[in-house]
Amino acid sequence: MRPSQGSVNVLVPDFLERSADHLPDKVALVCDGQRLTYAEIEARANRLAHALKARGVGRGERVALFLPNSVELVVGIFAVLKAGGVFVVINPTTKHNKLAYILNNCEASALILPGRQLALARQLVGETPSLKMIIAVGPAEDDGPIASYDAIQASFPDARPSHVNIDLDLACLIYTSGSTGDPKGVMSDHSNVVFAASSIIEYLRNVEDDIIIGMLPLSFDYGLYQLLMAFKFGGTLVLEKGFAYPAAILRRVEEERVTGFPGVPTVYAVLLQMDLSAYDLSSIRYLTNTAAALPPSHILRLREKFPWARLYSMYGLTETKRTLYLPPEELERRPGSVGIAIPGTEVWLVDEEGRRLGPGDTGELVVRGRHVMRGYWNAPEATAERFRPGPLPGERVCYTGDLFRMDEDGFLYFVARKDDIIKSRGEKVAPKEVENVLYELPGVVEAAVIGVPDELLGQAIKAFLVVKGEPLSEAQVLAHCKAHLEDFMVPRYVEFVAELPKTSSGKIKKTDLK
Amino acid sequence: MQNVEELVRQYIAQNILFSNNGYPYADDASFLDEGIIDSMNVLELVAFVEEKFGITVQDQDIVPDHFDSVSKLAAYVRRRMG
């Protein structure tokens, strides 16, 4: 039986649809040299949704979007939601093996990717039994399971399909690195996304006139939510492919009169090295930082460079989207803090035995609220470890695995991670995932990967290798990593050593490496 | 002196792609769209052309029009070398 629809449910596709109804002619997206209105994006997403439905992609089915930040990625996300499906955005630098792993892990029904990757798509069809449709963006002809995005746009109707979901249905999976090395898909239902987006919009005080620049990949929740939030409050998103060309980004800020600037520490480290006087950045109303902490010295220098803007230090993990934010007026007093729980949620600290801790103590951060996601796709054990029973029967809270300290006024300070995940350029890197790839190299008998402090990257990835037999060159190691890992996971440094330090039980002792 | 295109291709092949078979793309292939280099590599490329060709690259010159393909980069370097 079909679920009963009504206005009591707010679903993620409503973000686009309500704005398309109220502000049809407003520019929603500036990307790839195009300026698209809400009505235009709505029409394109509707056509693509009809095409997905025509091939039997329906309620609850996963559709992978292996695309760079682009108009088609934005259209694709909303098309999947309109069709009742679950969207999965995959970083465009992901390599074949991991891509195949993710597609099989989430049992994707459809895959949308650039037309120039058709050879890869044909291979993936053979390796992924669940795939029934491939949509190629750009130059491509319809051929078997492969459908051309352009042909779909030319032939399907632009009428809005009726919703088939309720807000407990999944909206998206966001894959994130875990300490075991296998990526895990964090499941967000519609109510999780709607709540998280609303809470963030509240503390950032977003209004319809806001224009946000998006330069982080939409495969990353921080990047994705810039789109979701902008469409929810009826703003404009200026979507860029990345921060490779800082001057070009600043030029866009100036031309588009950008008001919201979401960055990560690497972006701010680059900005602080530049002469910003050549640009008119006066339109910027707020800057946000998350993914890794900004050094307090950078925070103070940023405030000097942007004295007119509100600067938000924040903390989060994909499992709860955003968790903490520091109200900008507190920045001066507590530059090292990432703040308090986001509006409508609560957090506390616990010790190893699960006892609640008070000010001054250090313990694991626990999070309670509607932004606590639904767990990991197809990974009940990992889910049970991270998402545990809360104070009320049947509810779950998120154990973040991150250690914090609280001051007398309840503001939180990040201390350390409980696992050995590395944060490089704001992206999570599981040492295990890199080590697994290194072990595939002939002659590698031991591999250990750690993060080392780096001015620009936050942490840079360093690999230690013990090689027997034919010696390997650094270039060989890096070429292999480049072929099998996303760009941000490729080690910056490789050191060949005769042996690795060990604990008494014979495990590699990483704390002795640097 | 070898032509600028060749030096750029060689640099990317050896230091960014770690490739054994040279630079396998067309000179007008977009670095970022084709995934040839990533955003951090752009800064490496800037350092490379400054050192190799003795030019100074201003922040405002680090834009796709100059740094997003072998052809564009070579044209930029030649212009700057006068």
Side-chain angles (χ1 to χ4, degrees):
Chain A
M1 201 158 70
R2 282 172 66 102
S4 176
Q5 298 299 322
S7 58
V8 291
N9 265 349
V10 181
L11 302 175
V12 185
D14 288 321
F15 294 1
L16 169 60
E17 293 172 1
R18 291 182 180 184
S19 292
D21 291 341
H22 296 137
L23 307 160
D25 302 322
K26 177 169 179 177
V27 173
L29 182 68
V30 180
C31 181
D32 299 331
Q34 303 176 56
R35 309 181 75 80
L36 296 175
T37 64
Y38 276 108
E40 286 168 325
I41 293 175
E42 164 77 0
R44 291 184 192 192
N46 289 343
R47 290 183 207 120
L48 184 54
H50 286 298
L52 288 165
K53 288 165 78 107
R55 294 267 186 136
V57 177
R59 185 178 178 193
E61 294 194 38
R62 279 75 55 209
V63 178
L65 298 143
F66 181 56
L67 292 169
N69 285 3
S70 55
V71 171
E72 292 78 15
L73 177 54
V74 170
V75 168
I77 286 170
F78 282 97
V80 173
L81 293 168
K82 284 167 173 285
V86 180
F87 70 83
V88 186
V89 185
I90 301 174
N91 187 310
T93 69
T94 304
K95 301 303 182 292
H96 179 183
N97 285 353
K98 184 166 172 182
L99 182 57
Y101 174 88
I102 293 175
L103 293 176
N104 278 290
N105 181 263
C106 72
E107 298 158 271
S109 298
L111 168 65
I112 307 182
L113 84 180
R116 62 185 165 75
Q117 304 260 36
L118 271 185
L120 173 66
R122 292 204 170 87
Q123 239 178 313
L124 289 164
V125 171
E127 295 164 350
T128 317
S130 57
L131 274 183
K132 43 191 173 192
M133 180 181 204
I134 303 262
I135 297 173
V137 173
E141 305 270 317
D142 284 0
D143 175 16
I146 296 165
S148 145
Y149 176 91
D150 290 350
I152 287 169
Q153 289 298 334
S155 58
F156 279 86
D158 56 14
R160 181 180 298 170
S162 54
H163 288 170
V164 294
N165 296 108
I166 64 169
D167 69 1
L168 293 174
D169 287 331
L170 295 186
C172 60
L173 300 183
I174 301 177
Y175 275 83
T176 176
S177 290
S179 49
T180 57
D182 284 332
K184 296 193 295 272
V186 176
M187 302 185 284
S188 304
D189 70 26
H190 286 264
S191 74
N192 295 143
V193 178
V194 171
F195 177 84
S198 309
S199 178
I200 301 167
I201 288 169
E202 179 174 327
Y203 74 73
L204 292 178
R205 306 176 186 176
N206 284 120
V207 292
E208 237 173 68
D209 289 338
D210 272 325
I211 300 165
I212 300 178
I213 187 144
M215 51 202 157
L216 303 162
L218 300 195
S219 52
F220 180 23
D221 62 300
Y222 188 26
L224 174 67
Y225 272 70
Q226 305 308 328
L227 165 68
L228 300 178
M229 288 158 48
F231 279 24
K232 185 172 192 304
F233 63 73
T236 300
L237 179 69
V238 179
L239 186 61
E240 296 287 319
K241 298 222 185 307
F243 193 64
Y245 305 104
I249 296 282
L250 295 177
R251 204 51 83 197
R252 306 293 287 145
V253 167
E254 186 175 81
E255 288 162 3
E256 298 292 338
R257 303 298 294 159
V258 163
T259 63
F261 188 99
V264 294
T266 301
V267 166
Y268 292 117
V270 170
L271 279 190
L272 288 175
Q273 288 171 7
M274 294 174 68
D275 172 15
L276 300 183
S277 64
Y279 309 90
D280 175 6
L281 305 176
S282 61
S283 59
I284 293 181
R285 184 175 72 72
Y286 68 89
L287 307 135
T288 59
N289 178 67
T290 186
L294 270 179
S297 63
H298 283 193
I299 292 178
L300 296 174
R301 284 171 56 206
L302 263 179
R303 282 192 36 141
E304 280 165 25
K305 294 224 179 205
F306 296 90
W308 60 87
R310 289 165 68 82
L311 175 56
Y312 289 87
S313 281
M314 317 186 297
Y315 159 87
L317 65 171
T318 309
E319 289 83 344
T320 68
K321 171 55 209 146
R322 185 73 37 73
T323 313
L324 307 172
Y325 81 107
L326 183 68
E329 47 279 11
E330 295 286 342
L331 202 56
E332 203 112 305
R333 261 195 322 158
R334 319 171 206 269
S337 171
V338 281
I340 53 175
I342 64 171
T345 72
E346 66 176 319
V347 296
W348 60 86
L349 301 179
V350 295
D351 66 13
E352 293 283 332
E353 276 76 50
R355 286 181 299 242
R356 289 204 192 198
L357 299 172
D361 295 327
T362 293
E364 181 174 1
L365 185 74
V366 181
V367 189
R368 180 168 184 252
R370 290 213 171 272
H371 59 333
V372 171
M373 303 297 175
R374 293 289 293 271
Y376 301 114
W377 179 266
N378 213 354
E381 281 171 27
T383 299
E385 194 185 314
R386 174 85 62 201
F387 301 90
R388 301 185 212 159
L392 292 179
E395 80 164 326
R396 291 166 321 118
V397 294
C398 177
Y399 282 68
T400 60
D402 285 339
L403 300 175
F404 280 81
R405 181 175 58 78
M406 194 180 7
D407 69 18
E408 290 297 328
D409 302 318
F411 287 81
L412 291 151
Y413 298 76
F414 178 79
V415 175
R417 294 189 61 92
K418 284 177 79 181
D419 59 26
D420 61 352
I421 296 276
I422 299 166
K423 281 279 182 91
S424 188
R425 295 189 216 173
E427 307 244 26
K428 271 166 85 179
V429 179
K432 191 78 184 273
E433 192 173 346
V434 182
E435 288 159 7
N436 289 346
V437 164
L438 291 168
Y439 276 116
E440 290 165 8
L441 276 164
V444 170
V445 291
E446 279 183 332
V449 167
I450 62 166
V452 293
D454 185 278
E455 178 77 8
L456 204 56
L457 304 171
Q459 282 183 297
I461 299 164
K462 181 168 182 182
F464 293 85
L465 291 176
V466 179
V467 179
K468 291 276 149 66
E470 279 294 292
L472 283 169
S473 70
E474 182 175 344
Q476 284 173 297
V477 173
L478 293 175
H480 174 75
C481 289
K482 193 100 183 161
H484 294 94
L485 293 167
E486 284 107 299
D487 295 336
F488 62 87
M489 294 189 182
V490 176
R492 190 98 189 131
Y493 307 105
V494 177
E495 191 172 323
F496 297 97
V497 291
E499 58 182 336
L500 289 171
K502 302 280 167 49
T503 63
S504 53
S505 61
K507 283 170 64 177
I508 296 169
K509 198 175 172 201
K510 288 195 178 174
T511 46
D512 284 2
L513 294 170
K514 47 177 153 335
Chain B
M1 189 175 176
Q2 286 166 286
N3 79 32
V4 179
E5 278 86 351
E6 183 51 32
L7 291 168
V8 171
R9 277 188 229 116
Q10 260 177 30
Y11 175 80
I12 296 176
Q14 285 169 14
N15 299 283
I16 294 177
L17 302 174
F18 309 106
S19 153
N20 290 326
N21 49 0
Y23 183 80
Y25 301 94
D27 278 357
D28 62 356
S30 159
F31 289 157
L32 283 198
D33 287 354
E34 300 285 328
I36 299 167
I37 69 173
D38 75 359
S39 54
M40 284 295 134
N41 299 141
V42 174
L43 300 177
E44 291 174 35
L45 266 186
V46 171
F48 161 72
V49 299
E50 287 190 328
E51 193 197 315
K52 190 80 192 178
F53 304 103
I55 59 177
T56 306
V57 178
Q58 304 292 332
D59 287 344
Q60 61 263 28
D61 283 352
I62 309 172
V63 292
D65 281 350
H66 301 148
F67 276 83
D68 194 41
S69 70
V70 169
S71 317
K72 286 175 177 172
L73 184 52
Y76 169 73
V77 167
R78 270 193 291 269
R79 254 193 330 272
R80 291 301 313 278
M81 292 172 70

